[in-house]
Amino acid sequence: MTTNNEIEFKQILSESAYNDIKNQYFKETSPFKQTNYYIDTADFKLKDHYSALRIRVKNNTYEMTLKVPAEVGLTEYNFNVTLEPEIDKTIYHDQLPDEIRQILMEDFDVKDGTLLILGALTTYRMETSYQNELLVLDKSEYLGTEDCELEFEVHDYDEGLQKFNDLLKSFHMTHEKPLNKVQRFFNRKANLA
């Protein structure tokens, strides 16, 4: 298991802004593919607590991550698992890593057998170092739509925000905090229902 505090800034991009940033910072970088399978209860107990549970499939490995709000950013609990995700599959407590199961039961009152894999989002991601931080360029496909996003993972909130704003300004953009991927996924799912 790894636990870390994630501090990141995000910006939704138009296709032309995506291409401009790609040409400037990712010209020599090839994208890699990862698919997130999002898990929640039918009544969205995790979403209602601004939390998210997913299984990420990358290079034929499965990583389960629970993200919960922290004082600054999010706390992530990451575990390698063998649970192969399938849409509409029920997840039982005995299939969860102990720490995740404990948080879901105690903090969110998630009952056994109420977690479902509600859908998948596939991202084509590129990563590079930018001013000693991690700059990430994503193109994501889910539920019949596609979006582009810039992420900037930083060590210090204030310093990172300044660097991110300066970067956006160089592309004539102003930072507008978007919904995260899981929120965009669930909003799209609700609109399709």
Side-chain angles (χ1 to χ4, degrees):
M1 175 192 80
T2 58
T3 304
N4 66 299
N5 188 35
E6 178 183 70
I7 303 171
E8 64 183 8
F9 302 99
K10 302 172 184 250
Q11 180 83 13
I12 295 292
L13 303 173
S14 66
E15 187 79 28
S16 64
Y18 173 90
N19 289 326
D20 289 345
I21 292 170
K22 180 180 172 187
N23 290 333
Q24 179 79 30
Y25 292 104
F26 298 90
K27 200 176 283 191
E28 305 299 320
T29 307
S30 296
F32 61 88
K33 177 182 173 182
Q34 60 190 30
T35 301
N36 291 341
Y37 289 84
Y38 293 119
I39 305 166
D40 207 333
T41 61
D43 59 351
F44 302 110
K45 282 193 174 181
L46 279 71
K47 181 177 172 249
D48 290 347
H49 286 92
Y50 306 100
S51 299
L53 181 62
R54 71 168 186 233
I55 296 174
R56 174 171 285 167
V57 179
K58 184 168 89 175
N59 298 328
N60 296 316
T61 63
Y62 307 109
E63 181 184 60
M64 183 178 284
T65 300
L66 176 65
K67 294 186 179 192
V68 297
E71 200 171 306
V72 176
L74 297 169
T75 299
E76 284 189 353
Y77 301 88
N78 300 296
F79 296 86
N80 290 323
V81 296
T82 57
L83 177 65
E84 198 166 327
E86 296 172 32
I87 294 173
D88 296 327
K89 183 177 192 171
T90 300
I91 307 294
Y92 296 94
H93 283 176
D94 64 359
Q95 296 174 293
L96 299 169
D98 291 339
E99 289 86 346
I100 289 179
R101 179 175 58 246
Q102 185 175 348
I103 292 167
L104 294 181
M105 290 171 60
E106 293 177 7
D107 296 351
F108 305 141
D109 193 33
V110 172
K111 306 290 186 222
D112 194 22
T114 61
L115 290 171
L116 296 167
I117 298 179
L118 298 172
L121 178 147
T122 298
T123 298
Y124 298 90
R125 170 167 284 190
M126 292 179 281
E127 298 179 345
T128 192
S129 179
Y130 174 77
Q131 295 191 7
N132 299 314
E133 312 281 7
L134 180 64
L135 190 63
V136 178
L137 191 61
D138 285 344
K139 186 174 281 195
S140 297
E141 300 169 350
Y142 55 101
L143 302 172
T145 193
E146 180 179 277
D147 62 39
C148 302
E149 180 177 37
L150 184 66
E151 293 184 6
F152 191 46
E153 295 184 17
V154 301
H155 300 97
D156 176 83
Y157 182 91
D158 293 328
E159 186 181 318
L161 181 59
Q162 185 61 54
K163 289 178 183 178
F164 191 57
N165 281 329
D166 290 346
L167 173 64
L168 292 177
K169 200 177 294 179
S170 73
F171 288 95
H172 311 288
M173 288 186 277
T174 303
H175 183 221
E176 296 174 25
K177 185 179 177 185
L179 298 175
N180 63 34
K181 284 181 180 69
V182 69
Q183 291 167 324
R184 296 196 309 268
F185 172 85
F186 282 124
N187 283 352
R188 173 80 174 161
K189 189 170 181 72
N191 289 337
L192 293 174

